[in-house]
């Protein structure tokens, strides 16, 4: 296939906000299709001329991809007005048990299971299945999803090395897809940014997506230095899960794990959040606005991936990129010991 120059041009400059689709896969709760349709409709309306969506075969065992495609088709959205990033590595399979065997308790009311496939052949199967689920739409941005979790599941040093080689083999397949013009860019998405750092040293990447890594609650200096290094190499960084799994805006999960108020860790997290909310209220700032501003305001961060189950919040999320936070807010956050003011 001839290289699609239009697709390459559209993905070269990322918008300030990319819309995540994990909610379309029923993350934490089952969402009615009518609500999903309104969410996607609002995303398209808030991102002219081109809407960017981030998805993955892991999200609801392919349900997010399937739902996104159905919504876009029902809304009669031109495929040329959509850019889809598909994080590859999980393959839909029949559901043979009462509950899915991956990420127990996270995905609600899904009708399929999923298995991890990270290898040369496996990643191609995931790519093909993903595009089949997307129907008339297709993924232009691709990556290997959760390589950190894949590596950490090894039971020996030898197993770790074997799995890392499988990741490199998967990227060889993705590179061939790009050379053939079937995708426009290659990236990596992971929660452990140090695994991204290792892969970036061995693989030619166009972009990386960090998750739960650079937030107003957690922002290690080493990560900031790494993002600066990526920026110097013209590798774009997408920051995601900037609310630490919803916790920073009032949710019960921190990085996808329930917060137990009775534990020392849980109490520390809740105390931090209480102080954070108090400062936000004093300055009349929404917690989401503070989180977005902090997480986006580093050289190299090109986009923030946001996700919601509420259609009315889509435009609000898109507007976060325009919100200016007064210096006094950050000074108070530092005075309370909640953040460090970083250069």
């Amino acid at each position: 296939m001839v290289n699609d120059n239009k697709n390459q041009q559209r993905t070269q400059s990322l918008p300030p906000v990319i819309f995540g689709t994990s909610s379309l896969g029923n993350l934490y709760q089952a969402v009615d299709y009518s609500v999903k349709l309104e969410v996607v409709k609002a995303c398209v309306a808030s991102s002219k001329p081109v809407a960017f969506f981030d998805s993955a075969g892991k999200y609801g065992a392919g349900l997010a991809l399937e739902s996104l495609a159905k919504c876009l088709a029902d809304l009669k959205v031109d495929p040329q007005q959509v850019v889809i990033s598909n994080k590859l590595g999980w393959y839909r399979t029949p559901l043979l048990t009462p509950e899915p065997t991956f990420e127990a308790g996270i995905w609600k009311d899904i009708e399929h299971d999923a298995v991890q496939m990270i290898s040369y052949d496996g990643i191609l199967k995931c790519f093909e299945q993903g595009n089949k689920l997307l129907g008339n739409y297709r993924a232009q941005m691709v990556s290997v999803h959760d390589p950190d979790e894949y590596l950490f599941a090894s039971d020996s040093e030898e197993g770790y090395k074997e799995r890392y080689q499988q990741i490199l083999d998967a990227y060889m397949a993705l590179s061939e897809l790009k050379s053939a013009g079937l995708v426009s860019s290659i990236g990596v998405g992971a929660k452990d940014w140090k695994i991204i750092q290792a892969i970036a040293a061995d693989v030619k990447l166009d972009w990386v997506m960090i998750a739960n890594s650079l937030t107003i609650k957690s922002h290690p200096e080493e990560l900031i230095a790494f993002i600066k290094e990526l920026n110097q190499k013209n590798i774009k960084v997408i920051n995601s899960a900037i609310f630490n799994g919803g916790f920073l805006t009032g949710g019960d999960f921190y990085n996808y794990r329930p917060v137990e108020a009775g534990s020392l860790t849980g109490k520390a997290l809740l105390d931090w959040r209480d102080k954070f909310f108090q400062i936000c209220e004093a300055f009349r700032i929404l917690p989401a606005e503070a989180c977005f501003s902090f997480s986006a305001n580093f050289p190299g961060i090109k986009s923030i991936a946001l996700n919601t189950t509420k259609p009315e919040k889509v435009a609000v999320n898109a507007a976060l990129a325009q919100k200016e936070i007064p210096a006094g807010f950050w000074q108070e956050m530092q005075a309370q010991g909640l953040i460090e003011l970083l250069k």
Side-chain angles (χ1 to χ4, degrees):
M1 178 180 290
V2 177
N3 206 344
D4 190 337
N5 291 326
K6 289 185 178 180
N7 280 338
Q8 281 196 328
Q9 291 172 1
R10 285 185 293 159
T11 58
Q12 278 176 355
S13 60
L14 300 176
V17 175
I18 290 177
F19 296 104
T21 61
S22 55
S23 65
L24 301 184
N26 291 355
L27 177 69
Y28 299 143
Q29 60 181 311
V31 180
D32 189 79
Y33 175 73
S34 62
V35 176
K36 295 179 182 181
L37 183 65
E38 290 302 312
V39 167
V40 174
K41 181 179 180 180
C43 291
V44 172
S46 297
S47 52
K48 299 293 183 182
V50 178
F52 278 67
F53 293 94
D54 171 62
S55 197
K58 187 180 188 181
Y59 295 165
L63 178 62
L65 292 167
E66 208 168 38
S67 298
L68 175 61
K70 180 170 171 53
C71 289
L72 291 171
D74 287 350
L75 294 168
K76 296 181 172 55
V77 177
D78 185 343
Q80 294 298 316
Q81 302 305 312
V82 179
V83 172
I84 297 173
S85 167
N86 189 9
K87 301 190 291 290
L88 305 169
W90 290 85
Y91 189 85
R92 171 186 278 189
T93 60
L95 182 61
L96 304 177
T97 53
E99 295 290 333
T101 58
F102 73 106
E103 294 190 330
I106 297 296
W107 307 99
K108 304 299 182 180
D109 293 351
I110 61 175
E111 299 177 354
H112 298 87
D113 208 342
V115 295
Q116 202 164 31
M117 284 190 177
I118 296 181
S119 64
Y120 180 92
D121 291 331
I123 219 72
L124 291 177
K125 289 181 179 179
C126 292
F127 175 70
E128 292 169 1
Q129 185 183 70
N131 279 345
K132 184 176 181 181
L133 293 172
L134 286 170
N136 291 330
Y137 304 86
R138 65 186 181 90
Q140 299 97 332
M141 301 168 62
V142 292
S143 60
V144 175
H145 197 190
D146 295 335
D148 47 346
E149 293 181 8
Y150 188 65
L151 289 170
F152 297 154
S154 58
D155 55 7
S156 65
E157 183 177 351
E158 182 179 345
Y160 187 98
K161 291 179 179 179
E162 181 178 344
R163 285 177 176 241
Y164 189 75
Q165 183 58 53
Q166 290 169 341
I167 291 171
L168 296 182
D169 292 343
Y171 274 105
M172 183 183 299
L174 295 185
S175 295
E176 291 176 3
L177 291 177
K178 183 180 177 182
S179 296
L182 296 173
V183 300
S184 59
S185 64
I186 298 169
V188 60
K191 299 179 183 70
D192 188 319
W193 66 269
K194 291 186 178 180
I195 297 301
I196 293 178
Q197 188 176 43
I199 291 172
D202 291 328
V203 176
K204 183 174 174 53
L205 299 171
D206 300 303
W207 54 272
V208 306
M209 175 178 282
I210 57 175
N212 300 322
S213 300
L214 183 63
T215 73
I216 199 170
K217 176 68 177 68
S218 175
H219 38 275
E221 292 185 18
E222 300 92 338
L223 172 57
I224 295 167
F226 174 53
I227 290 172
K228 182 178 180 181
E229 177 185 329
L230 291 174
N231 190 41
Q232 292 171 344
K233 295 179 179 178
N234 200 31
I235 298 174
K236 299 175 177 63
V237 179
I238 302 167
N239 198 355
S240 67
I242 63 169
F243 307 128
N244 287 113
F247 178 78
L248 300 183
T249 53
D252 298 326
F253 291 78
Y254 181 81
N255 293 350
Y256 311 109
R257 295 182 180 180
V259 175
E260 299 177 4
S263 68
L264 290 176
T265 301
K267 184 179 184 304
L269 285 171
L270 291 168
D271 287 347
W272 188 98
R273 187 172 69 179
D274 287 344
K275 293 179 182 178
F276 172 51
F277 282 2
Q278 289 170 11
I279 298 173
C280 286
E281 185 176 359
F283 282 84
R284 297 183 179 180
I285 293 169
L286 296 175
E289 292 172 337
C291 291
F292 187 102
S293 179
F294 186 91
S295 300
N297 195 26
F298 290 92
I301 302 292
K302 302 302 182 183
S303 293
I304 302 291
L306 296 176
N307 186 41
T308 183
T309 58
K310 299 179 179 179
E312 65 273 15
K313 281 196 172 183
V314 172
V316 175
N317 284 348
L320 291 176
Q322 310 303 322
K323 179 68 176 183
E324 293 187 10
I325 308 297
F329 174 83
W330 303 117
Q331 292 166 1
E332 184 62 23
M333 287 286 288
Q334 185 188 37
Q336 294 283 344
L338 301 186
I339 64 168
E340 299 177 10
L341 289 185
L342 302 166
K343 294 182 180 180

